[in-house]
């Protein structure tokens, strides 16, 4: 008898998991890097067990939450550097449009560990004899538009294949004797985040250790259900 977890996943089941991940991101449960990594993994998942691993630490089902209150009416959040530097890295929340202005200075926006509470990230970037650098996870779709006069606007991101439902970063760039750059993980210093270990764990699913890992995941899930049924209040972390 075929193990239910080893049944082949359908396209509809993959899309359902991607939507669950997007909802989790809007709720603040996933960073942009985590959302991108898991979305990519969902589209390459072959079995039900692989899909289940992507959402095992997230609430199941649910209805897509409404947009944050006041979205669309909020002022744009600005990062400005005039003959200096302005940098935003680490964990932060994005629930409105962003603006970056570099005048003979540098602005760096690292979106990888940001909690993105909107369907997409919209950024207006202005570089006047300065540089605006936007760092994103490889795998997002980047749409850049605008004007460059004696300067550059460029994207160096390993983007997803056309037609897949991955996070979107839209940049309206204006560069005058300056640069607006959007770069991915492969072009900057890697993040020191625990999720990197999860990505390596995911890669192992497609190697010789997959069956053993799958059995462990199912055993942990059965034990968790037993604990919850018995009502002893114990919890397991993943």
């Amino acid at each position: 008898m075929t193990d239910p977890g080893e049944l082949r996943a359908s396209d509809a089941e993959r899309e359902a998991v991607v939507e669950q991940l997007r909802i989790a991101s809007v709720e603040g449960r996933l960073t942009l890097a985590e959302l991108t990594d898991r979305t990519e993994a969902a589209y390459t998942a072959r079995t039900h067990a692989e899909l289940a691993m992507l959402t095992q630490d997230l609430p199941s089902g649910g209805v897509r939450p409404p947009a944050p209150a006041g979205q669309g009416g909020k002022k744009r959040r600005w990062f400005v550097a005039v003959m200096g530097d302005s940098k935003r890295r680490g964990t932060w929340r994005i629930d409105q449009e962003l603006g970056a202005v570099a005048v003979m200075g540098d602005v760096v926006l690292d979106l990888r560990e940001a909690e993105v509470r909107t369907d997409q990230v919209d950024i207006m970037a202005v570089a006047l004899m300065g540089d605006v650098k936007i760092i994103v996870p490889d795998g997002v779709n980047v749409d850049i538009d605008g004007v460059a006069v004696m300067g550059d606007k460029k994207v160096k991101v390993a983007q997803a294949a056309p037609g897949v439902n991955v996070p979107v970063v839209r940049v309206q760039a204006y560069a005058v004797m300056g640069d607006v750059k959007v770069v991915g993980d492969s072009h900057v210093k890697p993040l020191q985040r625990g999720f990197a270990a999860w990505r390596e764990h995911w890669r192992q699913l497609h190697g010789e250790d997959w069956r053993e890992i799958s059995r462990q995941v199912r055993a942990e899930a059965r034990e968790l259900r037993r604990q919850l049924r018995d009502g002893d209040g114990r919890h397991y972390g993943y």
Side-chain angles (χ1 to χ4, degrees), residues 112 134-138 156-158 182-189:
R112 293 173 294 173
I134 302 165
I135 305 172
V136 301
D138 282 315
K156 292 185 177 180
V157 179
V182 185
V183 299
D185 275 324
S186 55
H187 296 281
V188 295
K189 182 179 179 180

Side-chain angles (χ1 to χ4, degrees), residues 117-146:
R117 302 299 183 94
T118 56
D119 286 333
Q120 66 184 32
V121 181
D122 289 287
I123 304 173
M124 178 181 291
V126 179
L128 177 59
M129 300 177 66
D131 296 312
V132 175
K133 183 178 182 180
I134 302 165
I135 305 172
V136 301
D138 282 315
V140 304
N141 278 343
V142 178
D143 180 9
I144 188 168
D145 198 3

